Amino acid sequence: QVQLVESGGGLVQPGGSLRLSCAASGFTFSYYKMSWYRQAPGKERELVAGITTFGSTNYVDSVKGRFTISRDNAENTMYLQMNSLNADDTAVYYCNARHRYNQGVEYWGQGTQVTVSS
């Protein structure tokens, strides 16, 4: 049974930090590109950051220099370190896994809420 379980969300003040985790099971984690998406109220889901099976990363411009994506293939876990958070970062954050060769094979987590507010 495939599972992606996000954790680490919560309420944080502007300028604060959070670390999200995505624990994967039920598939060969190292074969999948992993990504974080987010969806704010009334907005479309957007790609925040991705990391390939080789460790190459990409980020949406709005988080560059503030967020860092990483993965631990031995622990089947992906992370998103989020620093200097602001209100625009408030959203539900989702973990995504997409097979490196078969783009049609992908999985989603259930999401974790991140709220940036004073």
Side-chain angles (χ1 to χ4, degrees), residues 7 20 50 53 59 84 92 101:
S7 61
L20 304 183
T53 56
Y59 299 90
S84 302
V92 178
Y101 295 131

Side-chain angles (χ1 to χ4, degrees), residues 62-93:
S62 60
V63 308
K64 285 181 180 178
R66 301 189 298 122
F67 290 11
T68 302
I69 189 172
S70 61
R71 65 190 295 163
D72 184 336
N73 288 344
E75 296 294 330
N76 291 347
T77 303
M78 172 180 64
Y79 304 97
L80 186 68
Q81 177 66 42
M82 305 187 295
N83 299 327
S84 302
L85 287 160
N86 59 61
D88 290 338
D89 297 316
T90 295
V92 178
Y93 284 71

Side-chain angles (χ1 to χ4, degrees), residues 6-28:
E6 300 100 333
S7 61
L11 174 64
V12 63
Q13 292 187 341
S17 298
L18 283 175
R19 189 193 195 203
L20 304 183
S21 299
C22 171
S25 61
F27 62 97
T28 306

